[in-house]
Amino acid sequence: MDSSSPTLLKVENLSKKFLIKKSLLKKEYFTAVDNVNFCLNQNEILGVVGESGSGKSTIGKLILKLIKKDSGKIEFEGKDIYQLSRKEEKEFRRKTSVVFQDPRTSLNPRLKIKQIVEEPLIVHDFPKEERKKLVVQTIKDAGLDETFLDRYPSELSGGQRQRVAIARAIVLKPKMIVADEPTSALDVSIQLQIINLINNLKQKFGISFLFISHDLNVVGMLADRIMVIYRGKIMEKGNARDILKNPLHPYTKLLLASLPPDHPSKRKKLEQVVEVYREETENGCVFYSRCPIAEDICKTKPEYKKSDNREVYCHFA
Ligand SMILES: Nc1ncnc2c1ncn2[C@@H]1O[C@H](COP(=O)(O)OP(=O)(O)OP(=O)(O)O)[C@@H](O)[C@H]1O
Ligand SMILES: [Mg+2]
């Protein structure tokens, strides 16, 4: 059901740099993902939270093999996803899928809903009769009825479109879905519906989700475990409830303190957490320049401190 279930995905020392500038003499790289380690268990929702540009989507794309890793290891069902045979590669594609933030751009506007949902079944050679049956069943699983099948994406509301994107993502009964900010383009009441839908899909089909969001509030409603990312590095990782109740990393505390005051997971003592700005340190903690509690020791790199299902990247944890 949660962190005690068997491992589906195992990520070790994963790193990714992007080339940002190239001249005759020099190439400049930006480290988007920096030595990241985590597991996603069967039937589990792992929330990935962090501010814009922290590398969340890059992690999602790496584990789906949509972009190439630089180094590290990614195992899905015990197999290195860079060592798959052609048959295994196709199987991997069938067992993994993605839901993006904005269904306006992720759904082909020229196709009817039934064609959009059917497409992955065609790619994976399902016979026509079975495809028809599965499309009808899946649109219902996503909380819409058959009358939507003959419509076009432009004839749907934002929430309905996201349900179609989810139907497409689940039609092959995948084991793992990367949901990259799936609720961020929706208003709050619709957000809740999509969150409930994702939770139901986890319960009903045992699908595991890597649920990416910049919003700790949203992640807190859904995730079994959370990892907090800052500049491509995991700052804190642990059970969602524990992290929301008792954040240990100063960056997690900052994220929690920035939630609206009426949110239940906001604790009064966190209101004092104030962000600071100081000069970067080249060889120290990545969070040094903004950390409210940094001292000289933080000019050296911290180790991950591990205890009771929690890992924290901080000298003072
Ligand atoms: N193809 C690319 N080429 C160069 N830089 C890239 C590329 N993709 C991502 N980056 C950079 O890597 C960093 C991490 O990007 P990423 O999209 O993973 O962040 P994010 O956490 O998903 O942000 P957001 O919340 O805004 O979606 C950013 O600084 C981004 O500019
Ligand atoms: Mg992103």
Side-chain angles (χ1 to χ4, degrees), residues 206-229:
I207 303 173
S208 305
F209 285 86
L210 189 83
F211 185 88
I212 297 172
S213 176
H214 62 276
D215 188 339
L216 192 51
N217 198 347
V218 169
V219 171
M221 282 189 242
L222 198 56
D224 299 297
R225 287 187 301 128
I226 291 178
M227 59 182 190
V228 180
I229 310 281

Side-chain angles (χ1 to χ4, degrees), residues 183-299:
T183 65
S184 304
L186 308 170
D187 49 11
V188 177
S189 61
I190 309 297
Q191 269 187 12
L192 274 179
Q193 292 178 11
I194 298 296
I195 286 170
N196 286 335
L197 173 61
I198 289 176
N199 214 3
N200 290 342
L201 294 173
K202 174 196 150 196
Q203 311 277 359
K204 191 169 169 191
F205 301 117
I207 303 173
S208 305
F209 285 86
L210 189 83
F211 185 88
I212 297 172
S213 176
H214 62 276
D215 188 339
L216 192 51
N217 198 347
V218 169
V219 171
M221 282 189 242
L222 198 56
D224 299 297
R225 287 187 301 128
I226 291 178
M227 59 182 190
V228 180
I229 310 281
Y230 182 76
R231 289 206 203 160
K233 236 181 154 47
I234 297 176
M235 297 291 105
E236 181 161 8
K237 186 170 73 179
N239 289 331
R241 217 172 298 150
D242 298 344
I243 287 189
L244 290 173
K245 216 165 97 186
N246 182 27
L248 297 178
H249 195 284
Y251 180 58
T252 320
K253 291 183 188 185
L254 266 178
L255 284 179
L256 263 173
S258 63
L259 289 178
D262 55 346
H263 190 262
S265 54
K266 179 164 172 159
R267 296 284 172 274
K268 228 187 161 64
K269 63 179 180 192
L270 297 174
E271 282 166 24
Q272 281 98 38
V273 181
V274 190
E275 195 164 348
V276 296
Y277 296 92
R278 62 169 81 82
E279 229 172 279
E280 302 271 341
T281 155
E282 212 174 298
N283 299 311
C285 176
V286 278
F287 190 54
Y288 177 79
S289 64
R290 287 170 59 187
C291 183
I293 61 166
E295 291 183 17
D296 275 351
I297 190 178
C298 307
K299 292 179 183 168

Side-chain angles (χ1 to χ4, degrees), residues 2 13 100 102 111 157 228:
D2 46 45
N13 303 323
F100 291 109
D102 193 348
L111 296 183
S157 73
V228 180

Side-chain angles (χ1 to χ4, degrees), residues 4-150:
S4 54
S5 303
T7 304
L8 180 67
L9 176 88
K10 191 171 170 198
V11 173
E12 283 175 358
N13 303 323
L14 183 64
S15 293
K16 176 74 185 174
K17 289 189 178 96
F18 290 112
L19 183 62
I20 47 169
K21 217 166 140 192
K22 193 176 170 183
S23 66
L24 278 176
L25 297 172
K26 207 167 121 188
K27 285 180 178 171
E28 261 180 59
Y29 292 92
F30 177 81
T31 304
V33 176
D34 187 4
N35 250 300
V36 159
N37 289 278
F38 66 92
C39 287
L40 175 65
N41 297 321
Q42 281 172 26
N43 202 6
E44 180 187 51
I45 299 179
L46 174 63
V48 183
V49 71
E51 62 200 24
S52 184
S54 55
K56 306 181 295 297
S57 297
T58 306
I59 292 174
K61 288 176 195 158
L62 284 167
I63 65 167
L64 291 171
K65 233 175 136 183
L66 298 176
I67 56 172
K68 258 187 150 171
K69 66 173 185 176
D70 288 341
S71 58
K73 194 169 180 187
I74 307 167
E75 279 182 7
F76 182 79
E77 293 185 321
K79 285 187 191 140
D80 185 333
I81 65 167
Y82 280 81
Q83 307 282 333
L84 302 176
S85 67
R86 253 172 104 171
K87 192 164 161 248
E88 288 169 336
E89 178 87 28
K90 197 162 184 190
E91 191 82 333
F92 173 72
R93 299 284 166 205
R94 188 174 65 76
K95 288 180 175 175
T96 57
S97 65
V98 62
V99 177
F100 291 109
Q101 173 171 354
D102 193 348
R104 258 170 313 185
T105 49
S106 63
L107 301 180
N108 186 338
R110 286 187 210 90
L111 296 183
K112 285 185 175 176
I113 304 308
K114 63 180 174 196
Q115 293 170 299
I116 291 172
V117 180
E118 187 185 18
E119 212 174 29
L121 295 167
I122 296 174
V123 172
H124 285 272
D125 310 316
F126 281 66
K128 197 167 179 188
E129 276 315 301
E130 199 180 341
R131 293 203 305 260
K132 263 185 164 169
K133 249 189 343 205
L134 282 169
V135 166
V136 172
Q137 184 54 51
T138 308
I139 203 78
K140 289 180 187 163
D141 289 335
L144 298 173
D145 62 53
E146 285 175 63
T147 60
F148 284 90
L149 291 175
D150 278 309

